[in-house]
Amino acid sequence: VALPHGVVAMSNDIPGLVETSTNLAVVKSDASGVSLLMSSRSSVASALGWIRRKIRATAFLAGAKVAEHEGYPGWKPNLDSQVLGVVKRVHARVLGAEPHVAAVHAGLECGIIGEMAPGMDMISFGPQIEFPHSPAERVKVDSVGRFWEVLTETLKELAG
């Protein structure tokens, strides 16, 4: 009951986007005891640190041991990104339609790259994927060619 579970905070910048969450992902019980795996993520590094400290404190009060893995660092999308503006223009020109721009609550490589190159202007985009990271994961094949066209034209425009 004391462990946080579910949405912890919503984004103040993007309506409807979960900013921080944690969940009780796996519970195992055997002769040596009970083990719990918590999965936490946030687009804000300080919020991720806070929720992890809260979980550690709860475990400490219960007399439990804690082992932590790094996981994905947070990455806060920038809807005013210059790169995003270029991709939107190229998408409209190449495909004849405005792109669907959204933010997701997930661990992305942008968080890792952003830690190594603070302040880098970046976006994440690709072909249409359904059911990611599950046995049913699949890509819409016809979206791959469209993605490639937008990517190559964007790189041309960014290269000048």
Side-chain angles (χ1 to χ4, degrees):
V1 172
L3 286 171
H5 179 76
V7 174
V8 175
M10 299 296 288
S11 170
N12 289 322
D13 301 322
I14 303 171
L17 177 65
V18 173
E19 175 191 277
T20 305
S21 72
T22 190
N23 69 290
L24 178 57
V26 178
V27 177
K28 291 182 180 177
S29 176
D30 59 28
S32 65
V34 176
S35 129
L36 308 175
L37 173 66
M38 301 290 296
S39 178
S40 304
R41 46 192 178 275
S42 179
S43 57
V44 177
S46 60
L48 182 58
W50 173 82
I51 196 66
R52 291 176 71 143
R53 286 190 303 278
K54 183 177 176 101
I55 292 167
R56 278 195 310 273
T58 302
F60 174 77
L61 290 171
K65 295 178 187 173
V66 175
E68 292 186 82
H69 304 284
E70 285 302 312
Y72 277 94
W75 173 62
K76 191 173 181 179
N78 176 7
L79 297 179
D80 296 321
S81 159
Q82 290 181 350
V83 172
L84 178 59
V86 171
V87 172
K88 288 168 69 173
R89 283 193 310 274
V90 168
H91 188 285
R93 184 181 78 235
V94 170
L95 301 180
E98 291 294 319
H100 172 73
V101 176
V104 296
H105 179 61
L108 295 174
E109 289 75 7
C110 292
I112 296 169
I113 295 166
E115 270 195 345
M116 293 186 282
M120 177 187 278
D121 186 8
M122 63 181 127
I123 65 168
S124 175
F125 77 114
Q128 185 177 349
I129 298 172
E130 296 177 339
F131 313 111
H133 310 298
S134 78
E137 180 173 349
R138 61 186 181 199
V139 65
K140 291 270 194 167
V141 174
D142 63 344
S143 73
V144 175
R146 291 191 306 269
F147 163 72
W148 182 252
E149 285 183 73
V150 172
L151 174 63
T152 55
E153 289 301 313
T154 298
L155 292 174
K156 287 177 191 174
E157 187 165 321
L158 290 171

